[in-house]
Amino acid sequence: MKKYEIDELKRKTISLLMNYSLSREQAECIAECFVTADACSVKTHGLAVLPAHIKKLSAGAYNVNPQFKIIKSTNSFAVIDSDNAIGPYSASYCMNFAVEKAKNEGIFTVFSKNCNTYGPAFYYTYLAVKQGLIGVTFCNSPAAMAAWGGKEKLLGTNPLAVGIPGKNDGPILYDIATSKVAKSKINKARLENKQIPSDWALDSSGNPTTDPLEAIKGFVLPMAEHKGYGLALVLDMLSGMISGAAFSTGVNKFYSEDNSCMNVGQTFIAIDPNVVMDEEFYVLTDEYINKIHSSNSSRDGRVLFPGEHKLESMKKAIRDGITYDEAVESDLESFFCNIGD
């Protein structure tokens, strides 16, 4: 199993993407997003999805020369048209836009429409915390869940992520799908010809299934039953509906026959603790983390804060490199072999 250095992966991914008419700026942004996801062991949202994006680029499904437009703005929010850009690029732009505004206003929200899937939600909050700000993002996605008690696809697995910086510790990186499990994990099981747990999804008749293909045809179950359903619904409304994007069953699938924009709705919130409070916030975050670490554990090892596994994985990846399963490695080698070093 080959080990890839992080810088090597970024360099080769950038070169590859530029071969598909993306600017260097866009290619660098996408490479940074996917490789960071892999470094943090969120490999369902990293370079494993690169072939799918290459396929869409080849089909002309993305606007490779997007013009982001501010539709409406005040001192507290902006509505931005992402112009069918590839998802990680428009999402990074929107979060960085919110961050710069929040440095003056204390808090700023960006609502974005005409977006495509942005992949690892935590990554955009990480962009904020690297600059000392709190980052929040959530979005909708193609319908894959039924309303609680129903058996018709009405809601996406709509993710929510929050990043909170400390002074010396952290950052806290909270990232969830509102489904019991991310749909990408079900698809991964399908590709690996494995079964899934029986409490992940229902088949099209509303029965529990361990067959990932039947789960994809059917319905993903919400996390925490009716609570996850309710959370998915409000995130759909507060990202898709309010931004002017599609919502509920209106969100287009990643693969569509006409290669049209998914028109996902995405929300990005940045909060500057220095403006809202002061430097003490970061000290208090460290104290909170220390309190978690010193609390009594119910198993071996200390209690961890949300995202700590990601940060530990990133440190290991920086030191030792990143490995992939056989199928992903084969895809990467196939792509990278023709671009050189």
Side-chain angles (χ1 to χ4, degrees):
M1 188 174 289
K2 182 174 180 178
K3 288 188 176 181
Y4 295 87
E5 293 184 355
I6 286 177
D7 288 344
E8 172 194 11
L9 283 171
K10 290 178 182 177
R11 184 176 68 253
K12 289 186 174 182
T13 302
I14 291 166
S15 296
L16 174 65
L17 290 169
M18 290 178 67
N19 286 344
Y20 289 89
S21 301
L22 289 175
S23 66
R24 173 167 287 277
E25 179 186 7
Q26 292 183 75
E28 287 177 349
C29 176
I30 295 159
E32 185 72 29
C33 174
F34 288 163
V35 175
T36 298
D38 285 338
C40 291
S41 290
V42 188
K43 291 185 176 177
T44 52
H45 291 67
L47 290 178
V49 301
L50 191 60
H53 288 285
I54 293 294
K55 185 175 181 180
K56 286 177 71 72
L57 284 166
S58 298
Y62 294 130
N63 182 357
V64 295
N65 295 295
Q67 301 296 315
F68 300 137
K69 301 168 188 171
I70 300 175
I71 305 301
K72 184 182 292 187
S73 66
T74 69
N75 289 339
S76 63
F77 80 93
V79 179
I80 294 179
D81 186 329
S82 288
D83 200 21
N84 193 28
I86 191 167
Y89 180 58
S90 62
S92 297
Y93 175 88
C94 288
M95 180 55 86
N96 285 325
F97 188 100
V99 165
E100 290 306 310
K101 292 290 187 179
K103 288 176 182 177
N104 291 320
E105 308 298 340
I107 181 170
F108 196 86
T109 301
V110 170
F111 303 101
S112 188
K113 64 179 183 177
N114 289 326
C115 310
N116 291 293
T117 181
Y118 62 23
F122 84 91
Y123 175 75
Y124 308 101
T125 70
Y126 186 60
L127 293 179
V129 299
K130 286 196 295 184
Q131 300 179 69
L133 278 75
I134 297 165
V136 181
T137 186
F138 47 87
C139 69
N140 60 14
S141 57
M145 288 198 303
W148 186 245
K151 58 175 186 175
E152 179 182 351
K153 291 181 181 178
L154 292 179
L155 295 163
T157 58
N158 309 339
L160 165 67
V162 182
I164 303 175
K167 185 175 179 63
N168 299 307
D169 298 319
I172 290 168
L173 294 172
Y174 175 72
D175 182 1
I176 62 164
T178 47
S179 55
K180 187 142 192 177
V181 65
K183 194 175 178 182
S184 57
K185 290 188 177 181
I186 296 176
N187 195 47
K188 185 173 186 288
R190 178 187 67 82
L191 294 172
E192 295 176 352
N193 198 29
K194 294 180 179 178
Q195 291 190 324
I196 61 172
S198 60
D199 61 349
W200 279 13
L202 305 177
D203 64 19
S204 56
S205 298
N207 301 310
T209 182
T210 59
D211 184 336
L213 183 58
E214 290 301 316
I216 291 169
K217 292 178 182 177
F219 320 97
V220 183
L221 287 168
M223 57 168 270
E225 300 180 333
H226 62 285
K227 297 177 183 178
Y229 153 59
L231 182 58
L233 186 149
V234 297
L235 294 182
D236 189 25
M237 297 178 73
L238 295 178
S239 55
M241 187 182 292
I242 198 169
S243 67
F247 56 94
S248 186
T249 57
V251 181
N252 291 326
K253 294 183 177 180
F254 184 75
Y255 289 118
S256 58
E257 291 183 5
D258 60 357
N259 285 319
S260 59
C261 177
M262 293 175 71
N263 198 13
V264 169
Q266 296 166 351
T267 298
F268 305 86
I269 304 168
I271 304 169
D272 190 340
N274 283 304
V275 178
V276 177
M277 190 181 185
D278 54 37
E279 285 283 334
E280 185 187 5
F281 176 86
Y282 305 107
V283 175
L284 292 174
T285 297
D286 284 359
E287 291 178 359
Y288 204 132
I289 288 172
N290 289 332
K291 184 176 290 188
I292 292 168
H293 282 164
S294 61
S295 64
N296 293 326
S297 175
S298 61
R299 52 185 181 269
D300 291 339
R302 68 182 182 182
V303 181
L304 303 180
F305 61 83
E308 193 162 0
H309 277 306
K310 290 183 176 70
L311 299 174
E312 291 175 348
S313 294
M314 184 183 293
K315 289 177 183 177
K316 186 176 185 297
I318 292 170
R319 183 183 69 243
D320 300 332
I322 302 174
T323 60
Y324 295 92
D325 63 35
E326 186 176 337
V328 175
E329 182 179 324
S330 177
D331 284 339
L332 292 180
E333 288 300 301
S334 177
F335 281 129
F336 291 162
C337 68
N338 296 320
I339 61 174
D341 294 323

